[in-house]
Amino acid sequence: MGAGSATTRSLNFGAGPAKLPLEVLEEVQNELLSYVASGMSIMEMSHRSKEYAKINKDAQNAVRELLNVPDNYKILFIQGGGTGAFAAVALNLINRTGTADYCVTGTWSAKAAKEATKYGKVNLVFPKPDKFGSIPDQSTWNLDPNASYVYYCANETVDGVQFQYIPETNGIPIVTDMSSSIMTEQLDVSKFGCIFGGAQKNIGPAGVTVVIIREDLLGNPMKVCPSIFDFTHVVKENSIHNTPATFSVYVMERVFQWIKRNGGIPAMEQQAIAKSELLYNTIADSNGFYSCPIDENCRSKMNVPFRVGGPNGNEQLEEVFLQEAEKLRMYQLKGHRSIGGIRASLYNAVTYDDVELLVKFMLEFQRQHS
Ligand SMILES: *Cc1c(COP(=O)(O)O)cnc(C)c1O
């Protein structure tokens, strides 16, 4: 068997870059040396070629179809990752009033709010907590009626905090970072002004960020906005202003087709619920051997942080947990360096069977160590 064969694949619970569907990787492998009989790889082909034009179009169409994106929204592919989009959002949207509302519920929204202060006034809708793990009730939020937009991170990848609802903002456009949750649950796009997500958590390789934006929000970037981040300009150039991350867009398009073949977003959502419930229930039924520090009303279906050996975790035991897991080829389970503990990410390509194997290991580990 070659190095790429299915039997050598690991159980990958990484938070990003993360597991991609085997079928897609095999397709990419098959086409790597000669894309559609061209005798060259897509990586070696002009971004102005008809081949890439088709990939660009197919990828946009797939986003529109999968997420039922209404006609008055544009779909863009930019570079710079999620972090680039933190700046791009402010550069494109804060100009209307010069001020924006930010909900800080974790590491990524904290960074987004900080980045936006370079370009305008940032109002924190509620005080930044010492420790992430909850979302204050909306009735306590301090929304600014003059805000250009209200920003929140749908799923905090590091902290495991996920919004279970779309905030009510009295008509102020909502901007949301869905880097780690896009295409994992059904979405009413019409409720949003702008949605963005870096591909590498759930829908492809690093290098491309999907932006979905309502048309009426275009056309008012700050003067200093770089052209590659100017949404109005990127729309005009159909996301081929300069050389896009062609290979990343190509793989992402294949992931979209894989989602379509596998029941679309409703099926991804159902699986996310089943996988995360299995894991959270295992934690809840462990008599405290495993514990999850996140409030039950905002637990993530994608990134499940937990501690081993008591509510504050036993770091030595967690180290053993990670070593034992690796012996079973379960990788990338270490919690983010800022938080410690364990984190299992359950993106679309992670199967229910993968999670069952993790849970089986957890039960056995508990039996041996408690
Ligand atoms: C990973 C991540 C980011 C940052 O993405 P980069 O591509 O590394 O800049 C931003 N937001 C969320 C929710 C993420 O998970």
Side-chain angles (χ1 to χ4, degrees):
M1 288 265 182
S5 79
T7 53
T8 61
R9 298 275 295 162
S10 300
L11 287 154
N12 184 350
F13 295 100
K19 186 179 178 189
L20 288 171
L22 178 63
E23 247 175 77
V24 171
L25 295 177
E26 285 174 343
E27 252 179 83
V28 170
Q29 185 182 39
N30 283 334
E31 294 179 337
L32 197 63
L33 301 186
S34 178
Y35 181 72
V36 292
S38 63
M40 54 181 101
S41 160
I42 187 71
M43 279 184 273
E44 303 167 294
M45 220 178 258
S46 167
H47 57 293
R48 309 279 174 203
S49 63
K50 64 177 190 319
E51 287 86 353
Y52 186 72
K54 178 165 167 20
I55 288 168
N56 188 41
K57 184 163 135 268
D58 289 350
Q60 290 179 31
N61 288 345
V63 174
R64 199 171 286 284
E65 184 183 331
L66 282 165
L67 295 177
N68 296 314
V69 178
D71 289 344
N72 62 325
Y73 285 73
K74 298 291 188 193
I75 296 159
L76 296 62
F77 304 135
I78 63 170
Q79 297 190 56
T83 307
F86 296 165
V89 156
L91 284 159
N92 281 278
L93 301 175
I94 211 167
N95 219 10
R96 196 165 60 85
T97 66
T99 174
D101 278 351
Y102 276 75
C103 305
V104 173
T105 58
T107 308
W108 292 118
S109 48
K111 289 192 176 181
K114 185 155 177 251
E115 188 73 10
T117 60
K118 293 178 183 172
Y119 306 110
K121 189 173 161 297
V122 166
N123 170 51
L124 294 189
V125 170
F126 41 80
K128 183 171 172 252
D130 298 331
K131 203 167 170 293
F132 296 120
S134 59
I135 300 176
D137 191 87
Q138 266 201 96
S139 62
T140 68
W141 291 16
N142 168 34
L143 291 169
D144 176 0
N146 190 43
S148 294
Y149 57 88
V150 177
Y151 180 104
Y152 75 100
C153 177
N155 181 61
E156 286 284 0
T157 320
V158 170
D159 308 277
V161 173
Q162 184 166 27
F163 272 84
Q164 316 287 336
Y165 58 89
I166 300 170
E168 178 48 62
T169 62
N170 305 314
I172 308 265
I174 301 175
V175 176
T176 186
D177 175 0
M178 292 199 174
S179 292
S180 51
S181 56
I182 192 165
M183 306 252 172
T184 68
E185 61 184 357
Q186 296 178 81
L187 197 62
D188 181 355
V189 173
S190 73
K191 293 263 190 331
F192 296 89
C194 179
I195 297 168
F196 69 86
Q200 75 269 25
K201 308 292 161 61
N202 223 334
I203 51 176
V208 56
T209 304
V210 175
V211 178
I212 303 170
I213 185 162
R214 215 174 63 207
E215 272 169 357
D216 62 286
L217 297 174
L218 294 167
N220 193 22
M222 295 177 76
K223 271 215 176 74
V224 296
C225 183
S227 354
I228 55 159
F229 278 168
D230 177 344
F231 294 161
T232 312
H233 185 72
V234 176
V235 165
K236 204 169 121 240
E237 300 285 335
N238 195 22
S239 297
I240 317 184
H241 161 70
N242 67 327
T243 317
T246 50
F247 185 73
S248 296
V249 174
Y250 153 71
V251 180
M252 183 174 75
E253 195 275 331
R254 293 305 163 95
V255 172
F256 294 156
Q257 301 309 330
W258 175 85
I259 296 174
K260 280 206 240 170
R261 289 197 300 278
N262 286 277
I265 306 300
M268 298 299 124
E269 176 171 329
Q270 250 181 359
Q271 279 211 45
I273 292 169
K275 289 182 291 187
S276 58
E277 276 183 357
L278 177 59
L279 187 47
Y280 283 119
N281 288 341
T282 305
I283 293 166
D285 295 344
S286 70
N287 290 319
F289 184 76
Y290 298 112
S291 63
C292 174
I294 312 304
D295 282 4
E296 284 193 28
N297 67 5
C298 60
R299 286 186 174 174
S300 170
K301 290 190 275 298
M302 286 298 121
N303 313 96
V304 181
F306 61 92
R307 304 299 310 231
V308 184
N312 297 314
N314 172 337
E315 284 179 26
Q316 265 173 330
L317 198 55
E318 285 169 345
E319 202 44 55
V320 179
F321 180 94
L322 291 170
Q323 284 165 9
E324 296 289 317
E326 292 201 0
K327 285 187 195 154
L328 298 170
R329 294 182 22 255
M330 298 182 185
Y331 291 100
Q332 310 211 75
L333 278 164
K334 197 178 170 70
H336 190 269
R337 57 198 149 87
S338 64
I339 294 195
I342 312 295
R343 171 178 51 173
S345 296
L346 313 176
Y347 299 129
N348 288 343
V350 174
T351 64
Y352 190 84
D353 289 355
D354 292 349
V355 184
E356 274 190 322
L357 287 169
L358 173 62
V359 159
K360 193 169 153 236
F361 161 66
M362 287 169 67
L363 295 175
E364 180 59 25
F365 188 84
Q366 181 180 358
R367 207 180 56 76
Q368 284 177 15
H369 293 271
S370 59

